Amino acid sequence: MSARIAVLASGRGSNLQALLDAIGAGRLDARIAGVFSDRPDAAALDRVEPALRWSADARTFPDRAAFDAELARAVAACAPDWVFCAGYMRILGEAFVRRFEGRLLNVHPSLLPRYKGLHTHARALRAGDAEHGASVHFVVPELDSGAVVAQVRIPVLPGDTADTLAERLLPQEHRLVAAVMALAASGRLAERHGQVQLDGQTLFRPLRLDSAGVLHPDSRD
């Protein structure tokens, strides 16, 4: 049976659309079991039928834990095999993370462990980096600190701004998301004791996405 993916999103949902496109093209054997947002006006919700949408304004809850508990109940109700954070802008509390531990993934626009948190493109430029990229990682309670499954890299070009860098990275990020979730949906991906496992073998370095959209072990020295 196709894997069931719950998607958490706060914005326009372009990574959700990448998953929907991969499913439609037969590159991802999965179905979207639900889309969940902390922003009822998030455009991501409009990318799926109403029956698959859940949202609540996090600001109306007494605290983070109360919102996370309600979100966790809603996500669990759709019985997901995987939970994917696709531009979800709230930090998930420890109770939520522990409930879905080992099947909770996030995409982050940097080459982790570099530039956890926000404003990653500007930070890469300020540091004078020669390359930038995106990472898909398992979620742990510490921000952007879980084991990294795979990365995609792009060069930083002369004259790049944070906006141009973000614009060039986004299509590659979409390809990365679809490729990693295809591994997850096929049962090849797992997390054990803080390390990524692929086909039962521990990955000591993140996989790397090539220009054909295929994930390979990173063979660089």
Side-chain angles (χ1 to χ4, degrees):
M1 295 179 62
S2 297
R4 297 173 59 83
I5 302 174
V7 176
L8 276 56
S10 297
R12 59 187 176 179
S14 67
N15 275 307
L16 167 61
Q17 190 61 53
L19 294 178
L20 291 168
D21 291 346
I23 291 169
R27 293 182 282 109
L28 172 57
D29 184 13
R31 58 179 295 188
I32 302 301
V35 176
F36 304 83
S37 184
D38 59 317
R39 298 178 182 175
D41 61 348
L45 294 165
D46 296 330
R47 296 182 185 269
V48 295
E49 61 188 81
L52 297 180
R53 303 172 191 168
W54 181 95
S55 65
D57 187 341
R59 297 170 297 181
T60 65
F61 287 75
D63 52 37
R64 183 186 303 275
F67 176 79
D68 276 4
E70 189 67 20
L71 174 63
R73 283 191 288 270
V75 172
C78 79
D81 298 297
W82 292 91
V83 181
F84 185 70
C85 300
Y88 186 69
M89 300 307 293
R90 284 179 62 84
I91 297 174
L92 293 167
E94 184 170 1
F96 185 98
V97 173
R98 296 304 183 201
R99 183 165 185 172
F100 299 101
E101 190 171 15
R103 52 194 177 113
L104 179 58
L105 293 165
N106 178 55
V107 61
H108 182 72
S110 81
L111 295 172
L112 291 172
R114 294 180 181 177
Y115 314 130
K116 299 173 183 178
L118 301 175
H119 310 302
T120 59
H121 313 303
R123 291 158 69 189
L125 290 173
R126 284 198 301 268
D129 291 350
E131 60 181 2
H132 187 45
S135 307
V136 173
H137 65 95
F138 281 95
V139 177
V140 297
E142 296 75 26
L143 178 66
D144 299 328
S145 296
V148 178
V149 178
Q151 296 178 323
V152 63
R153 297 170 179 264
I154 63 170
V156 177
L157 302 179
D160 259 332
T161 66
D163 287 341
T164 61
L165 195 55
E167 183 179 359
R168 286 195 296 109
L169 178 59
L170 190 59
Q172 306 307 316
E173 183 178 307
H174 294 162
R175 295 168 61 246
L176 178 69
V177 164
V180 172
M181 293 311 297
L183 285 182
S186 66
R188 299 179 60 195
L189 187 64
E191 187 268 345
R192 297 287 185 274
H193 307 297
Q195 292 184 306
V196 179
Q197 292 199 333
L198 178 64
D199 299 329
Q201 301 297 314
T202 299
L203 285 180
F204 294 102
R205 299 178 69 173
L207 298 170
R208 188 172 185 180
L209 190 73
D210 68 14
S211 59
V214 178
L215 291 167
H216 298 283
D218 192 338
S219 60
R220 296 174 309 148
D221 293 332

